[in-house]
Amino acid sequence: MTTATQARQAVRSRMEAGGITYNGVSVPLRWQNEAGDPLPDDPAPFVYTEFLVEQARVAAFGGGRGANLHRNTCRVEGYVFVPKGWGLDAAESIAEQAAALFRSHRDATISCFTARVVPGGDGADLKPSGLPSPVSAYFWCGFDVALHFDQTA
């Protein structure tokens, strides 16, 4: 049985193993509700990711009480931040690497479907709810992934 925690950890493991880089340099990953280090004085690219469970529904009835299959639809929302002046190409290339990790990905924990890159804008216009540092010195680009995990209960 997969839990929301296990599904989130599967997403995180996939991203951490994916080796997201820009110009050959590893891009740091940040996660919702984790303090992490403050943003550097000299802006440098990073990715901030949130895992959101949207809906749970019964997908199949099984061998009696406690054996029904519940499908949990989820979304991964990622924000790529690059220093202002680097251009949209830099932000999109990092976002594309992250999205590509999940296109048609399926393992024992999660099943991913669509993954897209969403052009963004000025970091001053956006501050994801779980990111503790201001991002006004950055330009952002997003990516999102639609996925699900199943539970038997």
Side-chain angles (χ1 to χ4, degrees):
M1 172 173 84
T2 299
T3 65
T5 300
Q6 291 166 327
R8 180 183 46 77
Q9 289 170 344
V11 166
R12 183 174 182 153
S13 293
R14 183 120 176 112
M15 286 187 66
E16 288 175 345
I20 298 171
T21 63
Y22 184 72
N23 284 341
V25 177
S26 181
V27 175
L29 304 175
R30 293 176 177 254
W31 307 94
Q32 72 194 92
N33 200 30
E34 289 186 10
D37 296 328
L39 294 178
D41 290 335
D42 292 325
F46 70 95
V47 177
Y48 171 76
T49 306
E50 294 184 341
F51 180 83
L52 307 164
V53 178
E54 296 181 320
Q55 176 184 354
R57 63 180 175 78
V58 175
F61 294 98
R65 187 174 297 241
N68 294 330
L69 180 69
H70 297 262
R71 179 144 297 156
N72 296 270
T73 57
C74 308
R75 190 173 73 250
V76 172
E77 287 188 356
Y79 302 89
V80 174
F81 292 94
V82 297
K84 283 185 178 176
W86 280 29
L88 185 56
D89 288 350
E92 283 181 336
S93 72
I94 297 168
E96 181 57 41
Q97 290 176 64
L101 293 171
F102 297 101
R103 288 194 184 107
S104 300
H105 171 72
R106 180 174 289 183
D107 61 24
T109 308
I110 57 175
S111 296
C112 302
F113 299 98
T114 61
R116 66 183 181 149
V117 172
V118 182
D122 190 338
D125 298 334
L126 171 76
K127 184 179 179 297
S129 59
L131 186 65
S133 299
V135 289
S136 58
Y138 292 86
F139 184 88
W140 70 273
C141 178
F143 65 92
D144 59 36
V145 179
L147 65 123
H148 76 252
F149 68 93
D150 292 333
Q151 289 178 298
T152 304

